[in-house]
Amino acid sequence: MSGMIGVVGSNMVDLVTTIGRMPAWGETLEAPGFAMGFGGKGANQAVAAARLGASVMMVTRVGDDLFGGDVKNNLERNGVDVRHVRTAPGAANGVAPIFIDPNGENAILIVKGANDHLSPADVDAASSDLARCGLIVLQLEVPLETVYHTIDWARREGISVLLNPAPANPDLDLDRVKDVAFFMPNQTELALLTGRETETVEQATEAAQLLLARGMGTVVVTLGGDGALLVTPDGVEHLPPVRVQARDTSGAGDAFIGAFAAHFMGGLALRPALREATRYAALSVTRSGTQASFAGAAEFAGFDP
Ligand code: ADP
């Protein structure tokens, strides 16, 4: 089996404005600060895996604007194979305008832009290269028909799929994705997909078991500061969190998925790969930023919480 990872998914540019307060409609207000960052769930997961030394290819659509080229360069700088990163003619890049007030509260807009143009035809155009991958990683920031098409294709090719059903989307048809090798929601996504409460470990376990009853094989629920839950027909295992002083948890889920994919494709078995994922995500929450908080392999090797 090839160790290459193919990420079919989104990219975004985070536009982070620190504000004193939100302007009212019609009002113009000065704000104290602004910064940009590369994001998007697909790109974040690809970058995390590549920084850990995995061989990663990304299939995504960037904007026909100022940001498109930078997004592609950023992926390339991080060691991601960008031959299937293509421009969506006439479309803006995906962006996330984020507003952070003095209390640290945030308000976020997601403009999917070029991500909405990632089509089944793009997956077909990349299929001869995707066929060299041992694992395909998907999220839900691109059209659902592209997600379903990729899963159908991977099934025919016999390639394993990891589906991170994020952001939470009530339109996801579980019957069309139930045979993925790994289904990895967080508590919010699991609650939405099952209609159950998932606050406690017990509740999350019961909800994940509903997914098993619908035919899923391996469900991994990320539980924020409570670690993660591995639920399979063989049983339930709680992977404890790695105790750290959390500073910024944005991107923790992406760090977890990228690190799991990298370690699993690097040859670790399921449980050790999940334990490495909890360690990598814990390191990421001790630092600010999303991709900025993702460590490289050498740095991660030295992480001893
Ligand atoms: P998401 O970012 O999708 O909401 P979670 O919040 O569930 O994902 O976090 C993903 C993983 O990151 C968790 O399973 C856990 O391993 C790790 N993590 C998140 N928050 C913390 C924390 N405060 N302390 C230690 N690990 C954390």
Side-chain angles (χ1 to χ4, degrees), residues 41 45 164 166 184-189 220-229 239-257 274-275 277-286:
K41 292 177 190 300
Q45 294 171 18
N164 169 222
M184 298 198 178
N186 67 15
Q187 284 160 291
T188 311
E189 292 140 13
V220 176
V221 186
T222 60
L223 305 170
D226 288 331
L229 208 52
L239 295 138
V242 175
R243 300 268 171 221
V244 290
Q245 190 68 45
R247 193 166 153 197
D248 177 359
T249 60
S250 58
D254 294 334
F256 184 96
I257 304 272
L274 287 171
R275 276 194 288 275
T278 59
R279 274 180 12 96
Y280 188 79
L283 174 55
S284 84
V285 307
T286 64

Side-chain angles (χ1 to χ4, degrees), residues 28-302:
T28 299
L29 202 59
E30 279 191 23
F34 176 76
M36 299 205 295
F38 294 105
K41 292 177 190 300
N44 290 344
Q45 294 171 18
V47 165
R51 285 192 186 162
L52 284 168
S55 162
V56 185
M57 169 189 307
M58 185 155 190
V59 180
T60 192
R61 282 278 188 174
V62 298
D64 193 1
D65 58 11
L66 279 176
F67 294 140
D70 279 356
V71 167
K72 186 170 176 175
N73 288 340
N74 175 61
L75 289 168
E76 202 164 19
R77 256 198 320 272
N78 279 285
V80 176
D81 183 332
V82 296
R83 79 185 72 182
H84 296 293
V85 175
R86 296 167 66 202
T87 302
N93 205 85
V95 292
I98 299 172
F99 305 91
I100 304 180
D101 81 2
N103 299 321
E105 294 292 328
N106 58 40
I108 302 178
L109 293 164
I110 298 283
V111 188
K112 284 165 105 181
N115 293 299
D116 253 342
H117 295 257
L118 189 74
S119 69
D122 291 323
V123 176
D124 292 344
S127 61
S128 61
D129 289 315
L130 286 174
R132 296 189 285 118
C133 295
L135 181 70
I136 305 286
V137 178
L138 292 162
Q139 319 76 24
L140 304 181
E141 277 181 340
V142 297
L144 279 178
E145 67 172 312
T146 304
V147 172
Y148 298 143
H149 182 82
T150 308
I151 291 173
D152 292 343
W153 172 83
R155 182 186 304 117
R156 289 195 300 274
E157 294 286 324
I159 300 175
S160 297
V161 171
L162 185 170
L163 176 59
N164 169 222
N169 184 343
D171 295 332
L172 179 69
D173 181 351
L174 288 175
D175 284 331
R176 297 194 64 177
V177 305
K178 66 184 178 197
D179 63 345
V180 297
F182 306 105
F183 190 77
M184 298 198 178
N186 67 15
Q187 284 160 291
T188 311
E189 292 140 13
L190 180 65
L192 184 97
L193 292 171
T194 58
R196 292 297 184 95
E197 295 207 354
T198 56
E199 295 283 295
T200 66
V201 173
E202 292 70 30
Q203 289 171 334
T205 302
E206 282 177 26
Q209 282 167 333
L210 290 178
L211 295 179
L212 292 191
R214 294 198 57 168
M216 289 201 181
T218 300
V219 178
V220 176
V221 186
T222 60
L223 305 170
D226 288 331
L229 208 52
L230 169 63
V231 185
T232 69
D234 295 336
V236 179
E237 220 171 295
H238 182 200
L239 295 138
V242 175
R243 300 268 171 221
V244 290
Q245 190 68 45
R247 193 166 153 197
D248 177 359
T249 60
S250 58
D254 294 334
F256 184 96
I257 304 272
F260 168 74
H263 286 96
F264 189 69
M265 283 292 98
L268 287 189
L270 177 61
R271 285 168 186 77
L274 287 171
R275 276 194 288 275
E276 290 305 296
T278 59
R279 274 180 12 96
Y280 188 79
L283 174 55
S284 84
V285 307
T286 64
R287 304 162 166 198
S288 297
T290 304
Q291 288 185 19
S293 71
F294 297 171
E299 211 179 350
F300 178 51

